[in-house]
Amino acid sequence: MLLPGTYCCIASRSVYEGFEDPPDCEYISSGVCLKTLDAVAIGRHGNFMHWGFVASPLYMTNEAKVVFANAVAYIAKFKGTRIVRKYNDRIATREYLKELKELATYDSYKEGFGYRNETKKRQRERYYAALEKKNKGEKLSADEEYYLNNTDEDIDEDYSMADQLRFYQKKGIFEMFGEDEKEIQEYYDHNRDYFYGGGKELYTITLDTDVKGLGFANNDIRLIDRAISLWEQGIQKARAKRILTRYTLCRFNTPQEWRQWFNTYKDRLFFTESGGWLWLVNSTDPSIPGNDYSVLKDVCQPQDSKSKQQEQTSHENPVVASASYDASHKQVVVSLRIHPGYHIYGKVSSKDPYIQTEIKINLTDGWQNDGNLETSPVREFNTSGTTVYEGNALFRQKVRGSGPGTANVIVSWQCCDDHICMPPVEKQFSIQLR
C-alpha cells in the first residue's frame, strides 16, 4: 500500500506482546517490519486505532489512502472507554519466556558470537584500510574518518556465555544454575504457569511463589476463587490478599465483598497479560468494579518532569545527554550515556529506516570550529552498514576564538532496544565559551 522502502514498525505485536489477549482488541493487518514477522500494522485497541506504517501521507498509494480512510471510519464506531490499558509498553508476557530460554542456550550464544566476530572482522578491515591511507597522507572519505574512530582495542572486546546469561536472564538465574543450559530450560518449563510480568518494571518476569504454592496458574480463574476461599476460612490470609491485589483491580476489605464481586462477574472475567497480568471484567460500564486502573498509582501516574531529568539512565529514560566546555583543551564535549540493552545510531544505511545521531554546534561571532567532530567508537548493527553507539558515547569538537562566546549545541538521536524503537529526541544546550 505504501511506496517501497516504507516500513511497519508499531511496537505492539499480535502474539508476542499480547496485542489480542483483551476482548476489545483486534488484529486487522500485518505489514513489513524490521522487528518481528507478527507485528501489527493496523489494529484496534479499544477506541484506539493503530496505524503503524512509517511514511508521510504524501507517499501513500491510492490503495493506502482508501485503507486509511476506512480505518478512520471504522474506529469512529468505538467511541467510548477502553477496558484494557497497556500502561507499560514493554511489559513482559508469557511469550517472553521463549526468548529467555533461547538466550540461555549455547547455540544462541554461538550464533551471536559468530555474528559479532564477522562484524569485528569487517570493522578491523575498514579500520586498517583507513589507517594505511591516513599514514600515506591520502585524503580520507567521511566513511573512512568514521571507521578510523574505532580503535583496534575497541574492536577486540570479548563476550562470554556467562556475560550473556548475566545480561539477559533475571537476577539469580546465573547464580542458581551457572551455564547449565538444561537446568535453566527446565526451570522455565516447570514454572511456566506461575510467572508474573506485571508492575512497572520493563521486560521483567518473575516466579510468583504465592501462586505456585496454591498450584493454580495465574490465568486460571480458579486461582481467584481459591484465594477468596482461603480468606473466608481465615487460612493464609496474607497470601490470599497479595494474590487478589496483584491480579485484580479491586480493593475490597472483606472476603464477603470479594465473594459477591466474584460470583456476580465470574462469567465475564478475562485475563490479560499485556494489560498488566490482571483479571478484568468484559464491560465498558465504568460503574462495574474491577476495571479501574487508577488503583495502580505507582504504575499509572505519568512521571513528573524532575524524574524525567534524572541523571541516571533507566528503562524509562534510557539516554541522558549533557554538554560542557573543556577550557583546558578548548573543546565542546557532548556526552550521551545509554542504558544497558539500548543503542542509538551512528551511521544509518539508506536501506534502514532508523534516525542517525546528530550533533550540531553553532558558535557566536569570534569563535569557530577547529577541525572535524571527534566521535566515539561504534559497533556494526547489521550487514547493510548501519552502526550503533552503546554504553557511553562521547563527541568532542575543538574550537578556537577569543573573548566571551556561546556554543549552542543541538543533540538529536533515536533510541532502540531489541524490541522497539522510541520516538526521536532532540536536546539543546547553551554553553559559555572563554
Side-chain angles (χ1 to χ4, degrees), residues 254-265:
T254 66
Q256 292 78 18
E257 291 174 293
W258 278 104
R259 178 58 65 189
Q260 181 179 1
W261 173 80
F262 181 76
N263 289 341
T264 302
Y265 300 110

Side-chain angles (χ1 to χ4, degrees), residues 2 5-14 17 19 29-42 50-55 86 89 203 345 352-355 414-424:
L2 302 177
T6 59
Y7 300 85
C8 161
C9 61
I10 190 170
S12 298
R13 287 174 247 178
S14 61
E17 292 187 351
F19 188 87
S29 174
S30 61
V32 178
C33 184
L34 292 182
K35 291 295 181 182
T36 64
L37 294 175
D38 60 351
V40 178
I42 306 175
H50 293 262
W51 180 267
F53 295 102
V54 178
K86 189 176 182 183
D89 66 349
Y203 299 140
Y345 296 92
D352 291 333
Y354 307 116
I355 298 174
Q414 180 184 35
C415 181
C416 301
D417 64 8
D418 290 340
H419 299 272
I420 66 171
C421 286
M422 300 177 183

